[in-house]
Amino acid sequence: MPKEAILIVDDEEDILELIEYNLSKEGFRLHTAVSGEEALRIAREELPDLILLDLMLPGIDGLQVCRLLKSDPDTAHIPIIMVTAKGSESDVIVGLELGADDYVTKPFSPRILLARVKAVFRRRTALSDEDESSPIRYPDLIIHPDRFEVLLEGQPVDLTATEFRILEYLARRPGRVFTRDQIVDAARGKDYPVTDRSVDVHIVSLRKKLGIVGKQIETVHGIGYRFREL
Amino acid sequence: MKKRKLIWKLFPAYLAITLFSLAVIAIIATRSVRDFYYASISAQLESFAHLVDQQVANRFSEFTIDELDSISIRLGELTSSRITFIHPDGMVLGDTDRDPLEMENHADRPEIAAACTGKKGVSIRFSPTLKSNRMYLALPIVHEDDLVGVVRVSRSVEAIDNALKQVYTWIFLGGILIAVLASISSYLVSRRISKPLVDMKEGANRFAAGDLDHKLVVPPTEEIGQLADALNEMASQLRERISTVTSQRNELEAVLSSMVEGVLAVDINERILRMNHAAGRLLNIDPVKMKGRSLPEAIINPDFLAFAASVPGSSENREGEIVIGDGERYLQAHGTHLLDAEGEEIGILIVLNDVTRLRRLEKVRRDFVANVSHELKTPITSIQGFVETLRDGALNDPKDAEHFLEIISRHTDRLNAIIEDLLALSRIEREVEKNDIPLERGSIRKVLQMARQNCEPKASAKNIAISLKDTKDTQSMINAPLLEHAVTNLLDNAINYSPEAGEISLDVLTEGGEIIIEVKDHGCGIGTEHLPRLFERFYRADNDRSRKLGGTGLGLAIAKHITIAHHGRVSVDSIEGKGSVFRIHLPVHI
C-alpha cells in the first residue's frame, strides 16, 4: 500500500530539507512549496493527505493559505499541521479555529513532528471507522455516549451534561488541541449557554471528578485544551 | 379680555366725578337760594299780616263783608300782595283779587287750619283761583282773647321758579362745557401718563429684540421713573449676563475646537448636541452639518454606534476602541453620562483619542518580536533538527552527514551574525540615546574607500565593479568606524541584489545644506509598497531571497541608526527591475 502524500510548506529551504529527509525515511510521498501561492497550487493539484504549513510565508501567509484551503470543498478535508515560531499563539488559535488539526512550534524535534503527523493520520482513520455513538475506550476510562455514562476504572462517574459533552468531545479526538471557543461550540449542544471562560471551570471540575485520568486533560497554555494520548 | 386705552378708563371717571359734583353743588345752591327767597317772602308776608292784623283786630267783628273786602283790596294794592280775610269757620270775608261770595270755604287750607289753632300757618302751593304758585301766610285775628278771624297774605313765587329755571339752564350748559373740558383734560392727562409708558413699551420691545444697549428715557414722574430705572437696570444686568454667557460659550467653543481629542455630546434621544472639529476630522464627517442630527444618521461606523449605545446603560465610564475604515484610523473612545446642574442625565459625552500612531507602533513592535523570534527560531530549528537527524542515523551516511554539518555550520554563522547585528544595533541605539557617540572632523572619502575595500572580495566574486566618484575631498563631523559600517551595509545590500558583473556607484554630493552619500545599484529594485518600512528591523521585502543571500535583516536598520547618530537621515528610491538608490543624508554643519 502506498504511503500517504504530504505537502511541506516552508520558505526556508534548509528546514524543508530537514523535514523532507525525516519524512521520506518513513516512506511518505512528499511535495514541497516555498510560498503560499505555490502551496495552494500544489494542494489543489495533488490533493495531499496532509499539509505541514509554516505560518510565516512571503506573499500569501500561512493563515490565509489555511483559510483558503478550508473554505474550498475540494481541499477542506485535508488535515493541516501548522508550523510556527513560538510567540504567535493568536495565530495558532485562529488557525485551529479555521480548522487546522494541530500545530508544532519551532524549534521542533523531527521525532515529535513525525509523531504528530502519524497521530493525525491515526485519528483520521479512527474517526472514519466509528460513529458518534460508539463507546470511547481508554485503559481506565470508558465513555458510552448513547448511555450518557462514564466509567472510571469500572465505576460510574457523575458528570453534568456540559462536562460530559466536553469530555466526550476531547476524548474522541486525543492529542488534538482545541481552543476554548471550539469547546464552547461543541459543548453548547441544545440549550446550555457556555462562555469561553466558563470552559475553564468545567475543565477544573472534570479533572477533579476523573482523578488520575483527569491529568490526561492538558492545558495548552495560551491556546486551549487537549486530551493527551497515552 | 379686550384691552382699552388708558383714556377710556380715565375719561368716564373724570366725567362722572365732575358732573356729580356739579349736580350736588347745583342742588345745594338752588335749594338754599330758594329757601332764602322763601324765608324773605315769608318774613315780608308775616310783617304785612301783622300790620293788617293790628289794623283790623279791634273792630274785625264789626266790619261787614263789603268793608272787609274793600280793606283787603286797598291793603293788597298797597303791599302788592293778595290779602284775604276768613272767618274762623272757613268762610271768606274779603279778598284782594276776588269776590268773597264766590269763593269756597277755606277751612281745609293748611295755613288756615294752622291759624285757627292760634298759630302762624304757612303754605306754598298752586292756587287754583289765580292759577299760579303762591306762598300763603295766615295769622289769627284775636280780639280780647277770642279768635275772630284769620288774615291771610299771599304772594306769587313764580319769580323765583323762573329765576331757578334760568339757573338750571345755565348749570346744564355749564355741565356740557365741563364734560368737554373733562374729556380734553382727561385726554391730556392720560397722554401724559401713557406717553412714557408707551415709550417704555417700545424700549422693552427693543430689549426683547436683543438691543440691550438702548437706554430708556427716565420720565419725571416718580413711579414711572422708577419703573424706567428698573427696566434700564434689568437691561444692563441682562447685557452683562449675556456677555458673560457669550464669552464663556466662546471660551468653551475655543477650548473644544482647539482640542486634539474629539468631543461629542449626544442627548438622550441620540441627537448630536455638540461636536468639535477634531471629532469631525476623526470620524470623517462635517461637524457643522451634523448638529441636531440623530447619531445613526450622522455616523455610520458600526463600532462607534455600538459603543455609543453601550454608554447610557452602564453605571460607570465606558472605554472602547473604534476602527475607522479598514484600519485607516484607530480611535480610543471614553464615554460618560452627561449630567446637567441638577445631576439629571441629559445624554452622553464621548471623547475620542486618535491612537493610530500608537497602534502602528505597537504593530511595529509586535512585528519585531514575531520577526526576532522567527529569525532566531529558523536557524535554531535547522541546527536542532539536523543534530537530531544525525544522531538518529544520518551519521552513518558520510555524504549526508557532511551535508548536514555544513547546514548546521551555516546556520550557526547566521545565528551569530544576527546576534552580532542585534547587539550592534542596541549598542548604537543606547549610545545615541545617551548622546555618547564621539564625532570628529574627518574625510568622507576615506570612509567610502574603507567600505569599498570591505566589500571588495564579495564584489569581485560576483564580478561587480564599485566606482567611487567623489572628486572633492568632502569633510564633515563623523564617527569614521560607524559611518564605514553603515556604508558597508548599504554596499553589501547593493552587491546582494546586483546581477553578475553588475555596476555599483558610490558618490558624495553636497545639496540643499546636506552631504549625501549615495549608493546606486542596477539590480532588481524594490516594490514601492515596501519602501516606507524598509529600514525597520527584520523587514524583508522579499523573504526568501534575502535570507538565502545571507542577510540578517538588520543591515539597513543599523545604517539608519548610525545615520541618526550623525544627526542625519536615510532615504531610498527604487524602480522595480531598474535598481535602487540608497542615500545617507548628513548635515553640513553641526
Side-chain angles (χ1 to χ4, degrees):
Chain A
M1 161 188 158
K3 273 279 197 175
E4 291 90 343
I6 299 175
L7 168 61
I8 310 162
V9 188
D10 202 308
D11 62 333
E12 193 69 34
E13 283 188 359
D14 292 332
I15 290 179
L16 272 184
E17 188 178 340
L18 174 70
I19 300 173
E20 259 186 292
Y21 182 87
N22 283 285
L23 292 183
S24 64
K25 269 201 311 196
E26 297 296 316
F28 292 111
R29 288 179 293 124
L30 299 173
H31 304 282
T32 60
V34 295
S35 71
E37 289 86 343
E38 200 181 356
L40 285 172
R41 186 172 52 74
I42 295 174
R44 282 168 185 153
E45 281 171 11
E46 304 290 337
L47 295 177
D49 300 299
L50 178 80
I51 299 173
L52 280 175
L53 182 64
D54 187 4
L55 291 186
M56 205 132 180
L57 292 175
I60 302 179
D61 72 15
L63 278 181
Q64 189 62 20
V65 170
C66 184
R67 183 175 293 126
L68 290 169
L69 288 177
K70 286 296 177 186
S71 61
D72 181 343
D74 291 342
T75 52
H77 68 280
I78 305 174
I80 293 175
I81 297 178
M82 297 176 287
V83 181
T84 167
K86 232 191 172 145
S88 47
E89 277 85 359
S90 59
D91 287 351
V92 169
I93 291 178
V94 173
L96 288 174
E97 268 154 21
L98 284 173
D101 288 69
D102 205 349
Y103 72 99
V104 178
T105 51
K106 286 182 183 176
F108 55 84
S109 146
R111 265 187 305 236
I112 287 181
L113 180 71
L114 195 59
R116 294 281 176 86
V117 168
K118 285 179 174 170
V120 168
F121 283 137
R122 207 168 45 242
R123 281 205 295 272
R124 289 276 143 173
T125 342
L127 270 182
S128 57
D129 282 354
E130 62 190 41
D131 60 78
E132 283 293 306
S133 62
S134 63
I136 304 162
R137 290 170 196 280
Y138 285 93
D140 291 327
L141 182 76
I142 300 169
I143 304 169
H144 293 286
D146 48 348
R147 279 187 268 160
F148 210 76
E149 185 183 66
V150 174
L151 297 174
L152 180 67
E153 294 169 321
Q155 297 299 310
V157 188
D158 187 23
L159 297 183
T160 69
T162 307
E163 285 165 359
F164 183 86
R165 275 197 287 270
I166 293 175
L167 177 64
E168 184 202 349
Y169 185 66
L170 293 177
R172 197 175 283 287
R173 299 159 185 86
R176 185 167 166 184
V177 182
F178 293 99
T179 67
R180 290 184 174 83
D181 276 348
Q182 285 175 311
I183 295 172
V184 167
D185 287 345
R188 191 169 277 154
K190 326 270 178 294
D191 49 359
Y192 256 87
V194 187
T195 62
D196 65 345
R197 280 296 144 189
S198 76
V199 168
D200 297 349
V201 179
H202 291 299
I203 295 278
V204 167
S205 161
L206 256 181
R207 280 183 184 146
K208 213 180 277 174
K209 289 177 180 175
L210 295 179
I212 190 90
V213 176
K215 292 200 172 120
Q216 276 181 261
I217 303 173
E218 278 187 339
T219 304
V220 183
H221 188 71
I223 311 278
Y225 295 96
R226 81 166 139 218
F227 197 85
R228 188 158 46 86
E229 288 174 285
L230 289 173
Chain B
M1 195 184 108
K2 188 166 177 334
K3 284 179 184 160
R4 289 194 305 173
K5 283 204 158 196
L6 189 58
I7 184 169
W8 295 121
K9 298 205 169 189
L10 281 178
F11 176 60
Y14 249 69
L15 196 63
I17 289 168
T18 39
L19 289 184
F20 177 73
S21 34
L22 186 70
V24 168
I25 289 167
I27 288 166
I28 291 171
T30 51
R31 188 151 293 176
S32 41
V33 165
R34 193 164 48 190
D35 287 354
F36 174 74
Y37 183 80
Y38 284 167
S40 74
I41 298 256
S42 126
Q44 216 177 353
L45 289 178
E46 193 175 349
S47 61
F48 288 165
H50 276 296
L51 226 75
V52 173
D53 200 351
Q54 279 177 6
Q55 293 280 318
V56 295
N58 292 339
R59 294 176 296 145
F60 189 75
S61 313
E62 298 160 22
F63 291 133
T64 60
I65 289 181
D66 285 342
E67 282 171 331
L68 280 176
D69 194 35
S70 64
I71 290 169
S72 70
I73 292 169
R74 195 164 36 92
L75 288 176
E77 278 164 4
L78 279 173
T79 56
S80 61
S81 53
R82 177 185 174 197
I83 293 166
T84 313
F85 295 111
I86 299 145
H87 192 267
D89 64 6
M91 193 180 70
V92 179
L93 301 174
D95 188 83
T96 312
D97 297 337
R98 301 281 301 271
D99 182 354
L101 297 179
E102 287 171 21
M103 290 169 71
E104 57 193 283
N105 191 304
H106 273 41
D108 60 337
R109 303 293 197 273
E111 69 276 7
I112 307 294
C116 286
T117 59
K119 286 181 268 177
K120 177 178 81 179
V122 178
S123 164
I124 297 167
R125 64 192 149 75
F126 186 76
S127 154
T129 329
L130 294 172
K131 311 262 185 277
S132 67
N133 260 339
R134 299 187 77 88
M135 178 182 271
Y136 297 93
L137 190 135
L139 282 180
I141 302 169
V142 182
H143 180 67
E144 292 170 352
D145 293 339
D146 281 332
L147 178 71
V148 289
V150 173
V151 60
R152 189 182 74 172
V153 186
S154 84
R155 186 177 271 186
S156 165
V157 290
E158 291 279 288
I160 187 74
D161 284 344
N162 288 339
L164 283 179
K165 249 181 215 151
Q166 198 75 23
V167 168
Y168 282 136
T169 311
W170 280 112
I171 285 175
F172 177 71
L173 291 175
I176 291 176
L177 185 70
I178 284 170
V180 171
L181 289 175
S183 64
I184 291 171
S185 75
S186 62
Y187 172 73
L188 291 176
V189 168
S190 77
R191 268 237 349 215
R192 270 186 65 126
I193 296 175
S194 65
K195 174 79 167 47
L197 288 176
V198 169
D199 287 350
M200 257 185 282
K201 183 195 85 184
E202 269 162 24
N205 282 345
R206 286 178 71 170
F207 290 157
D211 179 14
L212 293 174
D213 293 325
H214 177 69
K215 270 263 174 225
L216 293 179
V217 179
V218 180
T221 323
E222 192 187 352
E223 292 87 347
I224 300 178
Q226 282 172 351
L227 178 60
D229 280 338
L231 276 176
N232 279 335
E233 176 65 19
M234 183 195 76
S236 87
Q237 283 196 6
L238 260 180
R239 191 172 55 227
E240 214 164 282
R241 295 260 169 86
I242 287 174
S243 92
T244 314
V245 168
T246 311
S247 78
Q248 276 174 351
R249 199 192 53 201
N250 287 347
E251 269 170 40
L252 185 66
E253 203 71 53
V255 168
L256 277 178
S257 63
S258 50
M259 268 173 83
V260 182
E261 290 82 6
V263 179
L264 198 89
V266 182
D267 71 9
I268 34 178
N269 299 319
E270 288 209 323
R271 299 217 165 264
I272 295 174
L273 293 172
R274 189 184 271 272
M275 90 190 266
N276 67 355
H277 289 288
R281 186 172 46 75
L282 293 176
L283 295 167
N284 293 338
I285 54 177
D286 182 350
V288 182
K289 283 189 200 154
M290 293 308 155
K291 199 171 173 186
R293 296 255 205 122
S294 81
L295 212 49
E297 187 189 354
I299 300 161
I300 348 160
N301 188 293
D303 284 2
F304 184 87
L305 292 179
F307 177 77
S310 76
V311 177
S314 71
S315 56
E316 51 204 40
N317 296 352
R318 300 268 309 167
E319 274 191 41
E321 185 148 316
I322 292 160
V323 182
I324 303 289
D326 193 15
E328 167 201 341
R329 198 174 290 138
Y330 293 86
L331 305 179
Q332 194 183 27
H334 294 260
T336 54
H337 298 244
L338 199 57
L339 305 176
D340 66 8
E342 277 83 46
E344 204 62 30
E345 184 171 347
I346 56 170
I348 57 169
L349 184 74
I350 295 173
V351 178
L352 300 168
N353 263 308
D354 191 347
V355 289
T356 312
R357 227 176 73 85
L358 205 67
R359 290 286 169 278
R360 296 242 163 96
L361 281 176
E362 272 171 20
K363 184 176 160 40
V364 168
R365 196 189 57 85
R366 245 195 340 265
D367 285 359
F368 172 69
V369 171
N371 280 328
V372 166
S373 114
H374 185 250
E375 294 295 329
L376 293 176
K377 288 286 167 58
T378 301
I380 288 175
T381 305
S382 299
I383 293 166
Q384 189 191 325
F386 280 111
V387 166
E388 203 182 298
T389 310
L390 284 170
R391 274 204 189 129
D392 282 356
L395 261 179
N396 300 332
D397 183 340
K399 204 171 141 253
D400 279 350
E402 179 58 32
H403 178 54
F404 292 165
L405 283 173
E406 193 260 319
I407 294 176
I408 290 170
S409 154
R410 188 147 41 80
H411 281 283
T412 317
D413 288 348
R414 182 159 146 207
L415 208 50
N416 193 39
I418 292 173
I419 290 166
E420 291 266 335
D421 277 358
L422 272 177
L423 287 176
L425 195 57
S426 73
R427 195 179 56 241
I428 294 164
E429 261 189 323
R430 205 172 49 242
E431 283 171 359
V432 167
E433 241 167 61
K434 288 197 287 179
N435 220 353
D436 216 15
I437 295 180
L439 300 178
E440 46 193 45
R441 198 146 198 91
S443 159
I444 290 179
R445 188 187 169 82
K446 259 186 206 155
V447 170
L448 301 190
Q449 279 169 341
M450 291 298 290
R452 181 164 71 159
Q453 211 173 307
N454 293 342
C455 298
E456 198 53 54
K458 195 168 171 179
S460 47
K462 277 179 89 175
N463 241 333
I464 290 171
I466 304 174
S467 63
L468 180 57
K469 283 191 202 151
D470 182 27
T471 44
K472 306 165 283 181
D473 188 14
T474 315
Q475 303 264 322
S476 186
M477 296 298 287
I478 54 170
N479 183 305
L482 279 183
L483 195 58
E484 182 190 320
H485 189 169
V487 178
T488 307
N489 281 358
L490 294 185
L491 268 182
D492 190 60
N493 232 27
I495 295 168
N496 281 342
Y497 289 93
S498 283
E500 283 280 321
E503 266 181 33
I504 294 170
S505 60
L506 203 52
D507 201 357
V508 182
L509 314 163
T510 310
E511 208 178 270
E514 284 180 326
I515 298 167
I516 303 169
I517 301 169
E518 206 176 74
V519 181
K520 192 173 184 179
D521 67 58
H522 301 278
C524 55
I526 306 152
T528 339
E529 72 273 21
H530 299 296
L531 294 182
R533 297 191 64 186
L534 209 56
F535 290 95
E536 277 173 28
R537 284 156 232 227
F538 293 121
Y539 188 83
R540 289 177 189 275
D542 178 355
N543 251 334
D544 188 34
R545 189 185 160 97
S546 63
R547 212 173 290 126
K548 224 175 288 166
L549 292 167
T552 59
L554 292 167
L556 290 178
I558 290 172
K560 176 183 158 185
H561 279 91
I562 290 173
T563 311
I564 291 171
H566 283 81
H567 309 285
R569 63 188 176 93
V570 286
S571 71
V572 58
D573 280 321
S574 185
I575 300 168
E576 247 176 310
K578 287 269 178 81
S580 315
V581 187
F582 284 84
R583 296 189 194 87
I584 293 176
H585 305 249
L586 301 177
V588 174
H589 303 293
I590 299 165

